[in-house]
Amino acid sequence: MLAAMFFKLLAVPFLAATHVFAAQNSLQQVTNFGSNPTNVGMYVYRPTGLAAKPALIVAIHYCSGTAQAYFSGTQYANLADSLKNFLVIYPNAPDSGGCWDVHTAATLTHNAGGDSLGIASMIRYAIANYAVDAARVYVTGTSSGAMMTNVLAGAYPDLFVAGSAWAGVPYSCFSGAGMWNSACATGTISKTGQQWGDLVRSGYPGYTGARPKMQIWHGTQDEILNYNNHGEGIKQWTNVFGYSSTPVSTQTNNPLSGWTRNTYGPNFQAISAPTTHNIPVQANEVLTWFGLIGGTSGTSTTLPPTTTATSTTVIPTTTPTQTPGGPSQVQYGQCGGNGWTGPTVCQSPFSCKVLNAYYHQVS
């Protein structure tokens, strides 16, 4: 009942003006970019001095988040400024709770509709208008954004080279149950690898091309999307790539102390972290997996590690009290709301503003 009250779709008005070419060094909205049946918002960040034929990262926010919050709360824009070899698209969910459609048959199927088609249209637009290298398009996201990362990898494998999903669920795990699927969220849905793999293959019937390589991350103490989903995701992607469910290598304390990286083959990794749902995103690790910075995933990279936490709750419960002396939240990060279990104290000089009952933001 609570979930049903929380997750209601909102039709965002479609803006008439179009930014034909997004300005550099600022987050710019782009409209009229192609087929977009659910009115997903498109926001683009292009660093100055961007290389010719740049790569593209699609960075997808968490439930109750926004494109602006993910832009400010992750390091992808800063890394784009430093590296100048990629630009970033930050989609904005049209749902009133800021969550992504990862459950309808339309969004789970190639070119059939839903939020996924709007994001696919953004990519096609960027390739046509920003000289993006179509062979270097990548997708990443957190929580609901991680779910959409899996959806896009299944329904649009022709558009992506690689994906990195942080605290999500397998492709099609939320299928048919509405915006919230308690069975999937609590980790009670279990399928064979073949069944999970068949679901991915059903996203684009008849597709025989290459699949984007995948990397999934999950907190062992995840209280929102149960850690069992990590194991189900491993079943899914090892089946898709034809790998054994036994990793070919295991690295402990990698990339951080207490974290464990299991590699199943060149196209799939699964990393466990001793965290709750609010897993701190390691943006440099994502870029290494994508091949946009040097080294190989699991080794040190050319840039210092980033650990910005951006994940958020996806179902209302109660608001806890912040422990004195605990961590503080950065600007545009979540700092409260029903179900929030992360920091409620903001970094100076910012304060916590109530946006709605479920999402308070540092601003």
Side-chain angles (χ1 to χ4, degrees):
M1 291 293 294
L2 286 173
M5 293 172 62
F6 179 42
F7 298 112
K8 294 181 180 179
L9 291 174
L10 173 67
V12 177
F14 196 78
L15 302 178
T18 300
H19 294 280
V20 177
F21 202 81
Q24 292 183 314
N25 264 97
S26 62
L27 191 64
Q28 296 288 324
Q29 184 172 13
V30 178
T31 61
N32 297 338
F33 51 81
S35 181
N36 186 22
T38 60
N39 289 338
V40 178
M42 177 181 179
Y43 292 83
V44 180
Y45 184 78
R46 296 175 58 246
T48 56
L50 185 64
K53 294 288 286 184
L56 169 65
I57 293 178
V58 180
I60 308 176
H61 67 74
Y62 42 84
C63 188
S64 78
T66 62
Q68 175 68 49
Y70 211 54
F71 164 72
S72 301
T74 57
Q75 292 296 315
Y76 298 114
N78 290 336
L79 290 167
D81 284 335
S82 299
L83 298 167
K84 303 188 184 304
N85 60 352
F86 68 93
L87 56 89
V88 191
I89 287 176
Y90 297 90
N92 196 76
D95 173 63
S96 61
C99 303
W100 293 99
D101 167 18
V102 294
H103 66 283
T104 65
T107 203
L108 290 166
T109 307
H110 187 79
N111 283 345
D115 290 353
S116 66
L117 178 55
I119 297 173
S121 295
M122 297 175 197
I123 295 163
R124 293 162 178 159
Y125 180 91
I127 291 170
N129 291 274
Y130 305 147
V132 162
D133 184 351
R136 294 192 299 149
V137 177
Y138 311 94
V139 59
T140 187
T142 302
S143 190
S144 184
M147 299 185 205
M148 179 55 77
T149 297
N150 279 285
V151 167
L152 290 166
Y156 295 90
D158 55 321
L159 292 181
F160 299 99
V161 177
S164 184
W166 292 74
V169 302
Y171 172 91
S172 197
C173 192
F174 265 41
S175 175
M179 291 296 283
W180 181 253
N181 184 323
S182 293
C184 179
T186 56
T188 61
I189 293 181
S190 179
K191 300 180 186 292
T192 66
Q194 184 68 44
Q195 290 171 326
W196 281 123
D198 285 346
L199 287 170
V200 169
R201 289 180 283 271
S202 73
Y204 191 171
Y207 178 75
T208 58
R211 298 277 173 181
K213 67 178 190 175
M214 287 295 295
Q215 183 185 65
I216 62 175
W217 305 70
H218 216 106
T220 58
Q221 303 162 38
D222 195 317
E223 75 286 14
I224 302 299
L225 298 174
N226 190 278
Y227 182 66
N228 287 348
N229 283 297
H230 192 62
E232 298 301 304
I234 290 170
K235 291 183 194 176
Q236 184 166 71
W237 292 109
T238 52
N239 179 267
V240 168
F241 292 116
Y243 296 154
S244 167
S245 58
T246 301
V248 297
S249 72
T250 296
Q251 296 164 285
T252 57
N253 298 316
N254 187 292
L256 299 174
S257 177
W259 297 42
T260 301
R261 183 192 306 269
N262 286 313
T263 300
Y264 296 83
N267 292 325
F268 180 59
Q269 290 185 342
I271 300 93
S272 298
T275 70
T276 63
H277 188 60
N278 200 37
I279 185 170
V281 172
Q282 309 296 303
N284 284 356
E285 287 288 333
V286 175
L287 265 62
T288 301
W289 180 245
F290 292 166
L292 295 175
I293 58 179
T296 57
S297 239
T299 63
S300 60
T301 64
T302 56
L303 295 172
T306 56
T307 56
T308 303
T310 56
S311 151
T312 186
T313 187
V314 289
I315 188 169
T317 52
T318 58
T319 303
T321 301
Q322 176 72 16
T323 302
S328 57
Q329 185 61 284
V330 298
Q331 185 182 19
Y332 298 119
Q334 185 168 1
C335 53
N338 291 343
W340 176 242
T341 58
T344 57
V345 174
C346 305
Q347 289 186 3
S348 179
F350 306 108
S351 59
C352 193
K353 307 295 184 183
V354 177
L355 298 186
N356 54 52
Y358 310 102
Y359 188 67
H360 306 173
Q361 185 179 77
V362 179
S363 57

